[in-house]
Amino acid sequence: MPPRLFVDGPLPSAGASFALPPTAARHVQVLRLQPGDALVLFDGSGPEWSATVTAMGRQSVEVEMGLPSPAQRELTQTVRLAVVMPANDRMDGVIEKATELGAVAIQPLMSERSVLRLSGERADKKRQHWRGVAIAAAEQCGRSRVPEIAPVLSLAQWLGALPPLAAGEARAVLSPTATPGLAALARAELVTTLSGPEGGLSDAEIAQACAAGFAPLQLGPRILRADTAPLAVLGWLALQGLHG
């Protein structure tokens, strides 16, 4: 299978000669591709394009664009994850696996019991890093859309800015003291899940989420880690779409 590379910007039409941007060109150099070798390029707009390497320089790579083709690898539902960031770089794993499983957007949050707290330049750098993680995961798994990584917000800020619950939308806040109810999520067109940090969301935060249209949801008798719980829901939804 030809290597898949993300290009940040609109790709030209079939037959055009195109100089790959620096990041994609470095990947081609690392892979030791040669003129005549095939690539697959995508820019996040939906399709993917075949391409052929035509020239290699020390730091530049020229390709000839082929025809675009639809990439039917997205979930049948639109699923967004709002995740109170786990500590110790575990958010990297959440971003990577959520991309593989089909999330369209990931909202990093801070709550009362957050261990990881980010603001200012540090938050901006982390967001750019997570976007890179998402791009790499999309290249690997075959997706032609890269999930949106939203700016870091406090839970209160995010909840306060949410619009009213829309028709066909389901919102769930994960709580070990709630009752199971995954089946209701499978019937929604748009699903937004909210999951807490290592110490969980406080009762007051769960109440705030419920006031914003979230229904408490339990995932079973075991307590899942902060980086496992949102992925468990997403994986279940992905499988329901595959078999439903």
Side-chain angles (χ1 to χ4, degrees):
M1 180 180 293
R4 301 182 76 254
L5 297 177
F6 174 75
V7 173
D8 194 1
L11 286 164
S13 57
S17 181
F18 177 60
L20 292 180
T23 299
R26 281 196 298 273
H27 286 176
V28 172
Q29 299 280 3
V30 169
L31 292 170
R32 299 182 183 276
L33 299 184
Q34 299 298 320
D37 287 342
L39 290 171
V40 174
L41 303 178
F42 65 102
D43 60 8
S45 63
E48 59 186 20
W49 284 258
S50 62
T52 304
V53 177
T54 56
M56 300 281 293
R58 286 186 173 273
Q59 296 181 330
S60 63
V61 176
E62 292 277 342
V63 301
E64 182 178 324
M65 298 297 298
L67 294 171
S69 60
Q72 305 294 342
R73 304 186 188 103
E74 297 301 308
L75 300 186
T76 56
Q77 295 173 288
T78 298
V79 184
R80 300 169 177 167
L81 303 186
V83 181
V84 178
M85 301 173 291
N88 301 323
D89 292 325
R90 286 181 174 167
M91 192 67 176
D92 285 23
V94 173
I95 299 289
E96 179 183 75
K97 302 310 178 188
T99 301
E100 293 177 16
L101 290 168
V104 301
I106 302 161
Q107 172 64 65
L109 296 171
M110 296 178 291
S111 69
E112 290 180 21
R113 298 170 180 165
S114 289
V115 175
L116 178 61
R117 296 185 178 275
L118 300 172
S119 61
E121 184 179 352
R122 186 167 173 238
D124 293 339
K125 287 182 177 179
K126 269 293 187 182
R127 184 188 181 197
Q128 290 303 312
H129 168 74
W130 289 329
R131 175 168 165 76
V133 171
I135 288 170
E139 289 175 337
Q140 182 275 326
C141 75
R143 288 188 69 181
S144 59
R145 295 188 181 275
V146 178
E148 175 194 357
I149 311 299
V152 177
L153 296 174
S154 71
L155 177 58
Q157 285 175 316
W158 179 70
L159 288 174
L162 282 179
L165 194 66
E169 179 184 3
R171 295 175 181 173
V173 54
L174 307 187
S175 169
T177 61
T179 56
L182 279 170
L185 299 186
R187 297 189 290 269
E189 297 175 6
L190 168 63
V191 176
T192 304
T193 67
L194 167 61
S195 57
E198 289 80 357
L201 297 172
S202 69
D203 290 344
E205 288 172 329
I206 291 177
Q208 290 169 3
C210 291
F214 287 80
L217 173 66
Q218 183 199 97
L219 299 182
R222 294 174 299 281
I223 305 298
L224 302 182
R225 287 182 179 271
D227 53 328
T228 304
L231 298 175
V233 178
L234 180 56
W236 187 87
L237 290 170
L239 290 173
Q240 295 303 304
L242 181 65
H243 297 293

